[in-house]
Amino acid sequence: MHKVLCFVDDQQGRDVELLLPLVYYAEKHLGCMVEFRFVWDIFAIYRELPDLVLLPNTVGSKWLFEISKYAHQQSIPVFALISEGNYRTNGNFDFWGYNTDHVFYQEYVCLWSERTRDFFQDKLPTEAHKMVLTGATGFDRYKIYRFSTKEEFLQKKGLSQFKKVIGYAGWAFGKLHSEIGRQELHYFLQDKPDWETWTLRQRDAVEAILRQLIEHNPDILFLLKVHPNETHPHITTESPNEMIRLREYPNVLYLKNEEPIHDLISASDIWMGFETTTTIEAWMLGKETLLINPDPDFNRDSACEGSVIARNYDDVQSSIDEFYQHGALSLFHTEEKKTLRATVVRETIGFDDGLNHFRAAGYLDEVLKQSPAKTKKRVFRMRYFLRSLKLHIGNLFYNRWLFLNLPKFNKTVWAFDRWKLKNIPLLKERYYPFLDVFYKKNEDKHYL
């Protein structure tokens, strides 16, 4: 039995979703006992000295990078996936992220597509042996799980009076209102000298279009989903985005993290956005996608090419009318769009067969087989000890209302709300039966 510590910064959402299929396989087929830990509790590596540390990525946050390095210092192998692996390969993207050492401390770099694998092998030839193709494990759920239907979702929310539902995935316009967010936007829009003015103009234009749609279609429920990384979790104030001023309309459901993105997509007739890779998830659920782009001329993701592009309110409204009159968006079903979507899937997530976690598990198995040969050692770090101590002691006195109203303490509310990760066992209870059925159906396949 291999003891594995898996670190995450939330009890739900993207990182948990991409890890759970791999955790399932590790527990069921690789003899692993996987325990989840909150990212602030880095000292758990010292306390528990596991056989392996499992991470959703090692570059997307300061904490995850530090965990990978600290495990490596104690000769504990690290197996990491990639949370957002649709890397731009034109040379203008900093793929190191928060990895300030520019060293991959994990055993393998699990890349989503041949395009990104070839890019990394070319950029880092001395590390080429670590670059492996697994596909995006987070997308496997669309081939394995069952999600809420529109009717089930509406009944759950007490909104069964609606028969039409349109979802909208928010962009990160809210980043304009924090210093770190502005830095991220500036980097992303570095090709635009007037990036701040441009962003404000786009935000207001998209908001105006959404407002017209909401007012002119009272029989349609609009699901407005805030971008999960619009603000950093320690920021407790709400930021103006393209949707927040629309949340009081009776046919609007403004959502942050209350519902998983896959249930929102599943419940929607059409899935919209400004710029979002959730369009790929929508395609995998058989949904048609439409992007609202008053100005489409910016450094954007290739996924946009498979969607219908609308420049103004009239374009969007005519598309909605067409869908509800004829059951489809004609521009979405052109041969050109179909070909583009197939290319985007291949070059972005690698495979859409539900087996990306299985591919990753093959490399995880190799690491586990080598693990016993490594001599682990404890390396004490006072700052990690103190952070863990503060987390455990602070929890004894934690009162959400009080902490929100105390300077400095309010920046820790997100951590105390999440650190026990209570929702993960519930997700395992919900998802594992679907994985059992998936493996039972495919047990005659030679690769399982």
Side-chain angles (χ1 to χ4, degrees), residues 242-281:
E242 75 274 40
M243 304 170 290
I244 195 167
R245 288 183 283 259
L246 308 175
R247 58 183 171 179
E248 300 305 324
Y249 282 94
N251 59 329
V252 165
L253 200 54
Y254 182 79
L255 298 146
K256 297 178 182 177
N257 298 312
E258 299 91 332
E259 301 292 339
I261 190 71
H262 45 242
D263 280 341
L264 301 182
I265 297 172
S266 180
S268 298
D269 301 319
I270 302 172
W271 189 249
M272 302 195 305
F274 172 75
E275 168 79 355
T276 174
T277 54
T278 61
T279 53
I280 302 174
E281 298 171 67

Side-chain angles (χ1 to χ4, degrees), residues 89 177 215 275 309 327 349 364 385 394:
T89 53
H177 302 277
E215 291 179 348
E275 168 79 355
I309 308 294
I349 66 171
L364 174 60
F385 168 72

